[in-house]
Amino acid sequence: MQRILVVRNDKIGDFMLAWPSFAMLKHSLDCRVTALVPAYTAPLAALCPWIDEVILDPGAKGSRADKQALARQLKGAGFDAAIALFSNSRNALMLWRAGIPYRLAPATKLAQLLYSHRLAQRRSRSEKPEYQYNLDLIRHFLTRRGIQPVEPAAPYLRFESGLLTTVRGDTAARLGVDPAKPWLMVHAGSGGSANNLSLSQYAELILALQAARPDCPCILTAGPGEEAQARALAGQIQAGGGQAVVYCSDEGLARFAQVLANAELFIAGSTGPLHLAAAVDVPTVGFFPSKRSATPLRWQPLNSGGRHLAFAPPAGGAGESEMAQLEMPACARQVLAWWQSRGG
């Protein structure tokens, strides 16, 4: 059995878009898969059925002692290969110093010189989804060994129905919402990773959706540091005659994923919770900037076919990533038509 290290030690959304790669690797080859991730995505890595072991990366700002401990762990693990789905100079140097004989990464930047194998990719052109760029590296690794890759399929994250029913009941009691009604969930935070709608735009969108679907309670989700923003949005919705409650994700990422799995529809900008909801194949609506490195195609979430709807400002010209160009009444009509076409 080969021991393979897969590196995706950046943000939550980026890590979720690596799940198809873990699935392809595990289904195609008899191997032990170890994921190198930061501490904040480790709970999600523990949920992934295709990861056998998790190694924590203290990050560039970690202590010297923690970095040295990681270096010893990587060097002593006896990995046969390392695949860097995310590559920078720090990752390249770390894998080279670990003495892993086969080291594959995208052929970008000077860091590529420290890898034994490279695959030319131009991710900034956004010609395909990020998860497909990740899969291309796994396909390259497998086909060079004469192995036919097994293509993965959604959903990538599953929970037992009984567990989700329990989580739904607990969440309903905590928030004072009806567990028997379909839940509309909205995450207005962005984590600073991409431009997003303003709170007034989110309020306008939610009020329009509630006017057409008053049977759907609106739950505003919030991660660490986002509660104030979510409560401000709830205030705007209530001032407009709508109803909204705030769910603060203070029970860990695994529980957050279980809460999201209970949504009838999930709406967010291009951020981690959008990709987490898509991994459990909840229908998602995403708002993306139009700049080339952050298009809806590049950051397309992992929903199965027909279960994702994307919006972006008109491309071209100055201010193409300015989300204010999106008109919420028109977006709401499109969301409602799409939602109804799916039986929602």
Side-chain angles (χ1 to χ4, degrees), residues 110-144:
L110 287 175
Q112 66 175 290
L113 299 177
L114 293 175
Y115 295 101
S116 62
H117 295 76
R118 294 161 292 277
L119 177 66
Q121 293 186 322
R122 299 292 183 268
R123 297 194 183 199
S124 62
R125 295 179 182 175
S126 299
E127 296 172 337
K128 63 177 70 174
E130 178 74 5
Y131 76 87
Q132 285 290 354
Y133 285 115
N134 292 333
L135 282 171
D136 284 345
L137 285 162
I138 304 300
R139 292 188 187 102
H140 180 87
F141 173 77
L142 293 169
T143 55
R144 292 304 184 275

PDB file of all heavy atoms in Angstrom, residues 110-144:
ATOM      1  N   LEU A 110       8.386  30.168  -8.995  1.00  0.00           N
ATOM      2  CA  LEU A 110       9.708  29.579  -8.807  1.00  0.00           C
ATOM      3  C   LEU A 110       9.672  28.343  -7.924  1.00  0.00           C
ATOM      4  O   LEU A 110      10.556  27.482  -7.995  1.00  0.00           O
ATOM      5  CB  LEU A 110      10.651  30.622  -8.198  1.00  0.00           C
ATOM      6  CG  LEU A 110      11.111  31.740  -9.145  1.00  0.00           C
ATOM      7  CD1 LEU A 110      11.937  32.762  -8.380  1.00  0.00           C
ATOM      8  CD2 LEU A 110      11.900  31.166 -10.309  1.00  0.00           C
ATOM      9  N   ALA A 111       8.621  28.229  -7.105  1.00  0.00           N
ATOM     10  CA  ALA A 111       8.526  27.084  -6.203  1.00  0.00           C
ATOM     11  C   ALA A 111       8.514  25.760  -6.948  1.00  0.00           C
ATOM     12  O   ALA A 111       8.906  24.721  -6.396  1.00  0.00           O
ATOM     13  CB  ALA A 111       7.268  27.204  -5.340  1.00  0.00           C
ATOM     14  N   GLN A 112       8.097  25.769  -8.222  1.00  0.00           N
ATOM     15  CA  GLN A 112       8.002  24.513  -8.970  1.00  0.00           C
ATOM     16  C   GLN A 112       9.351  23.808  -9.093  1.00  0.00           C
ATOM     17  O   GLN A 112       9.398  22.590  -9.277  1.00  0.00           O
ATOM     18  CB  GLN A 112       7.423  24.771 -10.354  1.00  0.00           C
ATOM     19  CG  GLN A 112       8.315  25.597 -11.258  1.00  0.00           C
ATOM     20  CD  GLN A 112       7.757  25.731 -12.653  1.00  0.00           C
ATOM     21  OE1 GLN A 112       7.720  24.768 -13.415  1.00  0.00           O
ATOM     22  NE2 GLN A 112       7.291  26.927 -12.993  1.00  0.00           N
ATOM     23  N   LEU A 113      10.439  24.559  -8.969  1.00  0.00           N
ATOM     24  CA  LEU A 113      11.764  23.965  -9.136  1.00  0.00           C
ATOM     25  C   LEU A 113      12.092  22.975  -8.021  1.00  0.00           C
ATOM     26  O   LEU A 113      12.979  22.127  -8.188  1.00  0.00           O
ATOM     27  CB  LEU A 113      12.822  25.073  -9.177  1.00  0.00           C
ATOM     28  CG  LEU A 113      12.678  26.086 -10.321  1.00  0.00           C
ATOM     29  CD1 LEU A 113      13.734  27.174 -10.208  1.00  0.00           C
ATOM     30  CD2 LEU A 113      12.757  25.381 -11.676  1.00  0.00           C
ATOM     31  N   LEU A 114      11.402  23.069  -6.900  1.00  0.00           N
ATOM     32  CA  LEU A 114      11.664  22.169  -5.774  1.00  0.00           C
ATOM     33  C   LEU A 114      10.841  20.887  -5.834  1.00  0.00           C
ATOM     34  O   LEU A 114      10.987  20.022  -4.976  1.00  0.00           O
ATOM     35  CB  LEU A 114      11.392  22.896  -4.450  1.00  0.00           C
ATOM     36  CG  LEU A 114      12.344  24.047  -4.122  1.00  0.00           C
ATOM     37  CD1 LEU A 114      11.905  24.761  -2.854  1.00  0.00           C
ATOM     38  CD2 LEU A 114      13.770  23.527  -3.966  1.00  0.00           C
ATOM     39  N   TYR A 115       9.988  20.754  -6.835  1.00  0.00           N
ATOM     40  CA  TYR A 115       9.193  19.522  -6.987  1.00  0.00           C
ATOM     41  C   TYR A 115       9.862  18.614  -8.003  1.00  0.00           C
ATOM     42  O   TYR A 115      10.473  19.077  -8.972  1.00  0.00           O
ATOM     43  CB  TYR A 115       7.774  19.854  -7.442  1.00  0.00           C
ATOM     44  CG  TYR A 115       6.968  20.635  -6.423  1.00  0.00           C
ATOM     45  CD1 TYR A 115       6.793  22.011  -6.553  1.00  0.00           C
ATOM     46  CD2 TYR A 115       6.396  20.004  -5.324  1.00  0.00           C
ATOM     47  CE1 TYR A 115       6.062  22.728  -5.619  1.00  0.00           C
ATOM     48  CE2 TYR A 115       5.666  20.719  -4.386  1.00  0.00           C
ATOM     49  CZ  TYR A 115       5.502  22.074  -4.536  1.00  0.00           C
ATOM     50  OH  TYR A 115       4.785  22.782  -3.610  1.00  0.00           O
ATOM     51  N   SER A 116       9.719  17.316  -7.799  1.00  0.00           N
ATOM     52  CA  SER A 116      10.302  16.367  -8.749  1.00  0.00           C
ATOM     53  C   SER A 116       9.450  16.234 -10.006  1.00  0.00           C
ATOM     54  O   SER A 116       9.952  15.862 -11.068  1.00  0.00           O
ATOM     55  CB  SER A 116      10.463  14.993  -8.086  1.00  0.00           C
ATOM     56  OG  SER A 116       9.206  14.468  -7.693  1.00  0.00           O
ATOM     57  N   HIS A 117       8.142  16.514  -9.885  1.00  0.00           N
ATOM     58  CA  HIS A 117       7.226  16.423 -11.016  1.00  0.00           C
ATOM     59  C   HIS A 117       6.278  17.625 -10.986  1.00  0.00           C
ATOM     60  O   HIS A 117       5.876  18.079  -9.911  1.00  0.00           O
ATOM     61  CB  HIS A 117       6.421  15.117 -10.979  1.00  0.00           C
ATOM     62  CG  HIS A 117       7.263  13.887 -11.136  1.00  0.00           C
ATOM     63  ND1 HIS A 117       8.048  13.392 -10.108  1.00  0.00           N
ATOM     64  CD2 HIS A 117       7.462  13.076 -12.197  1.00  0.00           C
ATOM     65  CE1 HIS A 117       8.691  12.314 -10.538  1.00  0.00           C
ATOM     66  NE2 HIS A 117       8.355  12.109 -11.792  1.00  0.00           N
ATOM     67  N   ARG A 118       5.919  18.074 -12.190  1.00  0.00           N
ATOM     68  CA  ARG A 118       5.077  19.271 -12.300  1.00  0.00           C
ATOM     69  C   ARG A 118       4.041  19.074 -13.398  1.00  0.00           C
ATOM     70  O   ARG A 118       4.273  18.328 -14.353  1.00  0.00           O
ATOM     71  CB  ARG A 118       5.930  20.505 -12.615  1.00  0.00           C
ATOM     72  CG  ARG A 118       6.875  20.891 -11.491  1.00  0.00           C
ATOM     73  CD  ARG A 118       7.999  21.797 -11.976  1.00  0.00           C
ATOM     74  NE  ARG A 118       8.935  21.107 -12.870  1.00  0.00           N
ATOM     75  CZ  ARG A 118       9.950  20.360 -12.443  1.00  0.00           C
ATOM     76  NH1 ARG A 118      10.176  20.219 -11.138  1.00  0.00           N
ATOM     77  NH2 ARG A 118      10.762  19.766 -13.301  1.00  0.00           N
ATOM     78  N   LEU A 119       2.920  19.750 -13.243  1.00  0.00           N
ATOM     79  CA  LEU A 119       1.882  19.745 -14.271  1.00  0.00           C
ATOM     80  C   LEU A 119       1.541  21.199 -14.598  1.00  0.00           C
ATOM     81  O   LEU A 119       1.203  21.978 -13.709  1.00  0.00           O
ATOM     82  CB  LEU A 119       0.623  19.021 -13.778  1.00  0.00           C
ATOM     83  CG  LEU A 119      -0.565  19.013 -14.744  1.00  0.00           C
ATOM     84  CD1 LEU A 119      -0.225  18.206 -15.999  1.00  0.00           C
ATOM     85  CD2 LEU A 119      -1.811  18.437 -14.067  1.00  0.00           C
ATOM     86  N   ALA A 120       1.653  21.556 -15.867  1.00  0.00           N
ATOM     87  CA  ALA A 120       1.359  22.932 -16.274  1.00  0.00           C
ATOM     88  C   ALA A 120      -0.122  23.225 -16.086  1.00  0.00           C
ATOM     89  O   ALA A 120      -0.988  22.512 -16.619  1.00  0.00           O
ATOM     90  CB  ALA A 120       1.755  23.138 -17.731  1.00  0.00           C
ATOM     91  N   GLN A 121      -0.413  24.240 -15.317  1.00  0.00           N
ATOM     92  CA  GLN A 121      -1.784  24.704 -15.092  1.00  0.00           C
ATOM     93  C   GLN A 121      -1.784  26.230 -15.101  1.00  0.00           C
ATOM     94  O   GLN A 121      -0.835  26.851 -14.632  1.00  0.00           O
ATOM     95  CB  GLN A 121      -2.342  24.196 -13.754  1.00  0.00           C
ATOM     96  CG  GLN A 121      -2.553  22.689 -13.702  1.00  0.00           C
ATOM     97  CD  GLN A 121      -3.233  22.260 -12.415  1.00  0.00           C
ATOM     98  OE1 GLN A 121      -2.973  22.791 -11.337  1.00  0.00           O
ATOM     99  NE2 GLN A 121      -4.114  21.276 -12.524  1.00  0.00           N
ATOM    100  N   ARG A 122      -2.851  26.799 -15.578  1.00  0.00           N
ATOM    101  CA  ARG A 122      -2.999  28.254 -15.571  1.00  0.00           C
ATOM    102  C   ARG A 122      -4.302  28.590 -14.852  1.00  0.00           C
ATOM    103  O   ARG A 122      -5.281  28.996 -15.459  1.00  0.00           O
ATOM    104  CB  ARG A 122      -2.996  28.796 -17.004  1.00  0.00           C
ATOM    105  CG  ARG A 122      -1.710  28.520 -17.776  1.00  0.00           C
ATOM    106  CD  ARG A 122      -0.520  29.290 -17.211  1.00  0.00           C
ATOM    107  NE  ARG A 122       0.696  29.071 -18.010  1.00  0.00           N
ATOM    108  CZ  ARG A 122       1.588  28.140 -17.766  1.00  0.00           C
ATOM    109  NH1 ARG A 122       1.406  27.310 -16.729  1.00  0.00           N
ATOM    110  NH2 ARG A 122       2.661  28.004 -18.530  1.00  0.00           N
ATOM    111  N   ARG A 123      -4.285  28.366 -13.547  1.00  0.00           N
ATOM    112  CA  ARG A 123      -5.523  28.502 -12.788  1.00  0.00           C
ATOM    113  C   ARG A 123      -6.077  29.922 -12.842  1.00  0.00           C
ATOM    114  O   ARG A 123      -7.293  30.113 -12.775  1.00  0.00           O
ATOM    115  CB  ARG A 123      -5.302  28.066 -11.344  1.00  0.00           C
ATOM    116  CG  ARG A 123      -4.928  26.594 -11.211  1.00  0.00           C
ATOM    117  CD  ARG A 123      -5.052  26.088  -9.790  1.00  0.00           C
ATOM    118  NE  ARG A 123      -4.618  24.689  -9.696  1.00  0.00           N
ATOM    119  CZ  ARG A 123      -4.935  23.868  -8.698  1.00  0.00           C
ATOM    120  NH1 ARG A 123      -5.674  24.309  -7.691  1.00  0.00           N
ATOM    121  NH2 ARG A 123      -4.510  22.623  -8.677  1.00  0.00           N
ATOM    122  N   SER A 124      -5.210  30.917 -12.936  1.00  0.00           N
ATOM    123  CA  SER A 124      -5.684  32.301 -12.948  1.00  0.00           C
ATOM    124  C   SER A 124      -6.540  32.615 -14.170  1.00  0.00           C
ATOM    125  O   SER A 124      -7.271  33.601 -14.182  1.00  0.00           O
ATOM    126  CB  SER A 124      -4.504  33.266 -12.876  1.00  0.00           C
ATOM    127  OG  SER A 124      -3.674  33.110 -14.010  1.00  0.00           O
ATOM    128  N   ARG A 125      -6.464  31.779 -15.210  1.00  0.00           N
ATOM    129  CA  ARG A 125      -7.310  31.985 -16.377  1.00  0.00           C
ATOM    130  C   ARG A 125      -8.756  31.554 -16.136  1.00  0.00           C
ATOM    131  O   ARG A 125      -9.638  31.866 -16.930  1.00  0.00           O
ATOM    132  CB  ARG A 125      -6.747  31.213 -17.573  1.00  0.00           C
ATOM    133  CG  ARG A 125      -5.387  31.704 -18.047  1.00  0.00           C
ATOM    134  CD  ARG A 125      -4.891  30.864 -19.212  1.00  0.00           C
ATOM    135  NE  ARG A 125      -3.565  31.289 -19.670  1.00  0.00           N
ATOM    136  CZ  ARG A 125      -2.874  30.653 -20.610  1.00  0.00           C
ATOM    137  NH1 ARG A 125      -3.390  29.574 -21.208  1.00  0.00           N
ATOM    138  NH2 ARG A 125      -1.683  31.096 -20.968  1.00  0.00           N
ATOM    139  N   SER A 126      -8.966  30.770 -15.078  1.00  0.00           N
ATOM    140  CA  SER A 126     -10.315  30.325 -14.695  1.00  0.00           C
ATOM    141  C   SER A 126     -11.037  29.636 -15.855  1.00  0.00           C
ATOM    142  O   SER A 126     -12.205  29.916 -16.135  1.00  0.00           O
ATOM    143  CB  SER A 126     -11.136  31.509 -14.184  1.00  0.00           C
ATOM    144  OG  SER A 126     -10.541  32.077 -13.045  1.00  0.00           O
ATOM    145  N   GLU A 127     -10.361  28.722 -16.511  1.00  0.00           N
ATOM    146  CA  GLU A 127     -10.953  28.018 -17.649  1.00  0.00           C
ATOM    147  C   GLU A 127     -11.763  26.798 -17.237  1.00  0.00           C
ATOM    148  O   GLU A 127     -12.462  26.207 -18.069  1.00  0.00           O
ATOM    149  CB  GLU A 127      -9.844  27.604 -18.620  1.00  0.00           C
ATOM    150  CG  GLU A 127      -9.133  28.790 -19.244  1.00  0.00           C
ATOM    151  CD  GLU A 127      -7.910  28.401 -20.052  1.00  0.00           C
ATOM    152  OE1 GLU A 127      -7.355  27.313 -19.808  1.00  0.00           O
ATOM    153  OE2 GLU A 127      -7.507  29.209 -20.926  1.00  0.00           O
ATOM    154  N   LYS A 128     -11.660  26.411 -15.983  1.00  0.00           N
ATOM    155  CA  LYS A 128     -12.425  25.280 -15.454  1.00  0.00           C
ATOM    156  C   LYS A 128     -12.564  25.471 -13.953  1.00  0.00           C
ATOM    157  O   LYS A 128     -11.886  26.310 -13.358  1.00  0.00           O
ATOM    158  CB  LYS A 128     -11.733  23.953 -15.784  1.00  0.00           C
ATOM    159  CG  LYS A 128     -10.353  23.786 -15.160  1.00  0.00           C
ATOM    160  CD  LYS A 128      -9.755  22.425 -15.467  1.00  0.00           C
ATOM    161  CE  LYS A 128      -9.369  22.286 -16.922  1.00  0.00           C
ATOM    162  NZ  LYS A 128      -8.652  21.002 -17.182  1.00  0.00           N
ATOM    163  N   PRO A 129     -13.420  24.677 -13.286  1.00  0.00           N
ATOM    164  CA  PRO A 129     -13.559  24.809 -11.834  1.00  0.00           C
ATOM    165  C   PRO A 129     -12.283  24.435 -11.088  1.00  0.00           C
ATOM    166  O   PRO A 129     -11.495  23.595 -11.543  1.00  0.00           O
ATOM    167  CB  PRO A 129     -14.697  23.824 -11.510  1.00  0.00           C
ATOM    168  CG  PRO A 129     -15.459  23.681 -12.771  1.00  0.00           C
ATOM    169  CD  PRO A 129     -14.429  23.771 -13.869  1.00  0.00           C
ATOM    170  N   GLU A 130     -12.109  25.030  -9.936  1.00  0.00           N
ATOM    171  CA  GLU A 130     -10.952  24.745  -9.094  1.00  0.00           C
ATOM    172  C   GLU A 130     -10.849  23.264  -8.768  1.00  0.00           C
ATOM    173  O   GLU A 130      -9.757  22.689  -8.772  1.00  0.00           O
ATOM    174  CB  GLU A 130     -11.031  25.575  -7.808  1.00  0.00           C
ATOM    175  CG  GLU A 130      -9.901  25.323  -6.810  1.00  0.00           C
ATOM    176  CD  GLU A 130      -8.573  25.934  -7.223  1.00  0.00           C
ATOM    177  OE1 GLU A 130      -8.535  26.644  -8.256  1.00  0.00           O
ATOM    178  OE2 GLU A 130      -7.581  25.694  -6.513  1.00  0.00           O
ATOM    179  N   TYR A 131     -11.975  22.628  -8.486  1.00  0.00           N
ATOM    180  CA  TYR A 131     -11.902  21.208  -8.126  1.00  0.00           C
ATOM    181  C   TYR A 131     -11.421  20.363  -9.297  1.00  0.00           C
ATOM    182  O   TYR A 131     -10.813  19.298  -9.101  1.00  0.00           O
ATOM    183  CB  TYR A 131     -13.246  20.709  -7.575  1.00  0.00           C
ATOM    184  CG  TYR A 131     -14.337  20.461  -8.591  1.00  0.00           C
ATOM    185  CD1 TYR A 131     -14.439  19.224  -9.238  1.00  0.00           C
ATOM    186  CD2 TYR A 131     -15.278  21.427  -8.885  1.00  0.00           C
ATOM    187  CE1 TYR A 131     -15.447  18.981 -10.157  1.00  0.00           C
ATOM    188  CE2 TYR A 131     -16.286  21.193  -9.794  1.00  0.00           C
ATOM    189  CZ  TYR A 131     -16.370  19.979 -10.439  1.00  0.00           C
ATOM    190  OH  TYR A 131     -17.362  19.729 -11.355  1.00  0.00           O
ATOM    191  N   GLN A 132     -11.664  20.834 -10.536  1.00  0.00           N
ATOM    192  CA  GLN A 132     -11.165  20.098 -11.695  1.00  0.00           C
ATOM    193  C   GLN A 132      -9.659  20.287 -11.859  1.00  0.00           C
ATOM    194  O   GLN A 132      -8.955  19.360 -12.276  1.00  0.00           O
ATOM    195  CB  GLN A 132     -11.904  20.545 -12.959  1.00  0.00           C
ATOM    196  CG  GLN A 132     -13.326  20.022 -13.074  1.00  0.00           C
ATOM    197  CD  GLN A 132     -13.377  18.523 -13.342  1.00  0.00           C
ATOM    198  OE1 GLN A 132     -12.344  17.872 -13.561  1.00  0.00           O
ATOM    199  NE2 GLN A 132     -14.567  17.956 -13.318  1.00  0.00           N
ATOM    200  N   TYR A 133      -9.142  21.480 -11.536  1.00  0.00           N
ATOM    201  CA  TYR A 133      -7.689  21.652 -11.533  1.00  0.00           C
ATOM    202  C   TYR A 133      -7.046  20.694 -10.530  1.00  0.00           C
ATOM    203  O   TYR A 133      -5.990  20.108 -10.805  1.00  0.00           O
ATOM    204  CB  TYR A 133      -7.325  23.090 -11.174  1.00  0.00           C
ATOM    205  CG  TYR A 133      -7.554  24.099 -12.268  1.00  0.00           C
ATOM    206  CD1 TYR A 133      -8.501  25.102 -12.127  1.00  0.00           C
ATOM    207  CD2 TYR A 133      -6.804  24.060 -13.447  1.00  0.00           C
ATOM    208  CE1 TYR A 133      -8.707  26.045 -13.129  1.00  0.00           C
ATOM    209  CE2 TYR A 133      -7.004  24.998 -14.456  1.00  0.00           C
ATOM    210  CZ  TYR A 133      -7.955  25.989 -14.291  1.00  0.00           C
ATOM    211  OH  TYR A 133      -8.161  26.921 -15.289  1.00  0.00           O
ATOM    212  N   ASN A 134      -7.680  20.553  -9.361  1.00  0.00           N
ATOM    213  CA  ASN A 134      -7.177  19.597  -8.372  1.00  0.00           C
ATOM    214  C   ASN A 134      -7.199  18.179  -8.924  1.00  0.00           C
ATOM    215  O   ASN A 134      -6.230  17.418  -8.787  1.00  0.00           O
ATOM    216  CB  ASN A 134      -8.012  19.666  -7.098  1.00  0.00           C
ATOM    217  CG  ASN A 134      -7.859  20.966  -6.338  1.00  0.00           C
ATOM    218  OD1 ASN A 134      -6.838  21.624  -6.425  1.00  0.00           O
ATOM    219  ND2 ASN A 134      -8.874  21.325  -5.585  1.00  0.00           N
ATOM    220  N   LEU A 135      -8.326  17.814  -9.556  1.00  0.00           N
ATOM    221  CA  LEU A 135      -8.454  16.466 -10.109  1.00  0.00           C
ATOM    222  C   LEU A 135      -7.438  16.205 -11.214  1.00  0.00           C
ATOM    223  O   LEU A 135      -6.962  15.076 -11.372  1.00  0.00           O
ATOM    224  CB  LEU A 135      -9.877  16.257 -10.638  1.00  0.00           C
ATOM    225  CG  LEU A 135     -10.955  15.972  -9.600  1.00  0.00           C
ATOM    226  CD1 LEU A 135     -12.341  16.006 -10.250  1.00  0.00           C
ATOM    227  CD2 LEU A 135     -10.728  14.628  -8.921  1.00  0.00           C
ATOM    228  N   ASP A 136      -7.097  17.230 -11.975  1.00  0.00           N
ATOM    229  CA  ASP A 136      -6.105  17.054 -13.043  1.00  0.00           C
ATOM    230  C   ASP A 136      -4.765  16.580 -12.473  1.00  0.00           C
ATOM    231  O   ASP A 136      -4.063  15.765 -13.094  1.00  0.00           O
ATOM    232  CB  ASP A 136      -5.902  18.360 -13.805  1.00  0.00           C
ATOM    233  CG  ASP A 136      -7.050  18.666 -14.755  1.00  0.00           C
ATOM    234  OD1 ASP A 136      -7.852  17.757 -15.036  1.00  0.00           O
ATOM    235  OD2 ASP A 136      -7.143  19.835 -15.206  1.00  0.00           O
ATOM    236  N   LEU A 137      -4.398  17.073 -11.310  1.00  0.00           N
ATOM    237  CA  LEU A 137      -3.160  16.627 -10.674  1.00  0.00           C
ATOM    238  C   LEU A 137      -3.248  15.159 -10.270  1.00  0.00           C
ATOM    239  O   LEU A 137      -2.294  14.394 -10.446  1.00  0.00           O
ATOM    240  CB  LEU A 137      -2.849  17.500  -9.461  1.00  0.00           C
ATOM    241  CG  LEU A 137      -2.319  18.902  -9.766  1.00  0.00           C
ATOM    242  CD1 LEU A 137      -2.452  19.804  -8.557  1.00  0.00           C
ATOM    243  CD2 LEU A 137      -0.871  18.846 -10.229  1.00  0.00           C
ATOM    244  N   ILE A 138      -4.396  14.762  -9.729  1.00  0.00           N
ATOM    245  CA  ILE A 138      -4.568  13.356  -9.332  1.00  0.00           C
ATOM    246  C   ILE A 138      -4.581  12.461 -10.569  1.00  0.00           C
ATOM    247  O   ILE A 138      -3.965  11.382 -10.581  1.00  0.00           O
ATOM    248  CB  ILE A 138      -5.870  13.177  -8.531  1.00  0.00           C
ATOM    249  CG1 ILE A 138      -5.899  14.117  -7.317  1.00  0.00           C
ATOM    250  CG2 ILE A 138      -6.022  11.724  -8.087  1.00  0.00           C
ATOM    251  CD1 ILE A 138      -4.784  13.912  -6.334  1.00  0.00           C
ATOM    252  N   ARG A 139      -5.273  12.900 -11.623  1.00  0.00           N
ATOM    253  CA  ARG A 139      -5.288  12.117 -12.867  1.00  0.00           C
ATOM    254  C   ARG A 139      -3.863  11.948 -13.416  1.00  0.00           C
ATOM    255  O   ARG A 139      -3.494  10.864 -13.877  1.00  0.00           O
ATOM    256  CB  ARG A 139      -6.170  12.809 -13.920  1.00  0.00           C
ATOM    257  CG  ARG A 139      -7.650  12.817 -13.590  1.00  0.00           C
ATOM    258  CD  ARG A 139      -8.442  13.349 -14.780  1.00  0.00           C
ATOM    259  NE  ARG A 139      -9.848  13.514 -14.437  1.00  0.00           N
ATOM    260  CZ  ARG A 139     -10.418  14.682 -14.153  1.00  0.00           C
ATOM    261  NH1 ARG A 139      -9.687  15.795 -14.206  1.00  0.00           N
ATOM    262  NH2 ARG A 139     -11.695  14.743 -13.846  1.00  0.00           N
ATOM    263  N   HIS A 140      -3.092  13.023 -13.390  1.00  0.00           N
ATOM    264  CA  HIS A 140      -1.708  12.963 -13.864  1.00  0.00           C
ATOM    265  C   HIS A 140      -0.911  11.945 -13.055  1.00  0.00           C
ATOM    266  O   HIS A 140      -0.181  11.117 -13.624  1.00  0.00           O
ATOM    267  CB  HIS A 140      -1.080  14.353 -13.749  1.00  0.00           C
ATOM    268  CG  HIS A 140       0.336  14.423 -14.212  1.00  0.00           C
ATOM    269  ND1 HIS A 140       0.682  14.646 -15.524  1.00  0.00           N
ATOM    270  CD2 HIS A 140       1.515  14.302 -13.523  1.00  0.00           C
ATOM    271  CE1 HIS A 140       1.993  14.642 -15.645  1.00  0.00           C
ATOM    272  NE2 HIS A 140       2.527  14.453 -14.442  1.00  0.00           N
ATOM    273  N   PHE A 141      -1.059  11.994 -11.750  1.00  0.00           N
ATOM    274  CA  PHE A 141      -0.355  11.071 -10.871  1.00  0.00           C
ATOM    275  C   PHE A 141      -0.728   9.622 -11.182  1.00  0.00           C
ATOM    276  O   PHE A 141       0.140   8.743 -11.260  1.00  0.00           O
ATOM    277  CB  PHE A 141      -0.692  11.403  -9.413  1.00  0.00           C
ATOM    278  CG  PHE A 141      -0.158  10.435  -8.409  1.00  0.00           C
ATOM    279  CD1 PHE A 141       1.176  10.457  -8.035  1.00  0.00           C
ATOM    280  CD2 PHE A 141      -0.992   9.498  -7.820  1.00  0.00           C
ATOM    281  CE1 PHE A 141       1.676   9.549  -7.102  1.00  0.00           C
ATOM    282  CE2 PHE A 141      -0.514   8.595  -6.885  1.00  0.00           C
ATOM    283  CZ  PHE A 141       0.827   8.623  -6.528  1.00  0.00           C
ATOM    284  N   LEU A 142      -2.020   9.364 -11.398  1.00  0.00           N
ATOM    285  CA  LEU A 142      -2.489   7.991 -11.624  1.00  0.00           C
ATOM    286  C   LEU A 142      -2.126   7.480 -13.015  1.00  0.00           C
ATOM    287  O   LEU A 142      -1.629   6.354 -13.163  1.00  0.00           O
ATOM    288  CB  LEU A 142      -4.000   7.924 -11.421  1.00  0.00           C
ATOM    289  CG  LEU A 142      -4.513   8.162  -9.995  1.00  0.00           C
ATOM    290  CD1 LEU A 142      -6.022   8.338  -9.988  1.00  0.00           C
ATOM    291  CD2 LEU A 142      -4.105   7.013  -9.067  1.00  0.00           C
ATOM    292  N   THR A 143      -2.386   8.296 -14.039  1.00  0.00           N
ATOM    293  CA  THR A 143      -2.166   7.813 -15.400  1.00  0.00           C
ATOM    294  C   THR A 143      -0.698   7.560 -15.677  1.00  0.00           C
ATOM    295  O   THR A 143      -0.354   6.666 -16.470  1.00  0.00           O
ATOM    296  CB  THR A 143      -2.727   8.810 -16.432  1.00  0.00           C
ATOM    297  OG1 THR A 143      -2.158  10.112 -16.209  1.00  0.00           O
ATOM    298  CG2 THR A 143      -4.244   8.905 -16.315  1.00  0.00           C
ATOM    299  N   ARG A 144       0.194   8.319 -15.030  1.00  0.00           N
ATOM    300  CA  ARG A 144       1.624   8.062 -15.212  1.00  0.00           C
ATOM    301  C   ARG A 144       2.030   6.729 -14.607  1.00  0.00           C
ATOM    302  O   ARG A 144       3.120   6.224 -14.884  1.00  0.00           O
ATOM    303  CB  ARG A 144       2.456   9.196 -14.600  1.00  0.00           C
ATOM    304  CG  ARG A 144       2.323  10.531 -15.328  1.00  0.00           C
ATOM    305  CD  ARG A 144       2.666  10.406 -16.812  1.00  0.00           C
ATOM    306  NE  ARG A 144       2.636  11.686 -17.504  1.00  0.00           N
ATOM    307  CZ  ARG A 144       1.555  12.251 -18.015  1.00  0.00           C
ATOM    308  NH1 ARG A 144       0.385  11.638 -17.891  1.00  0.00           N
ATOM    309  NH2 ARG A 144       1.611  13.396 -18.654  1.00  0.00           N
TER     310      ARG A 144
END
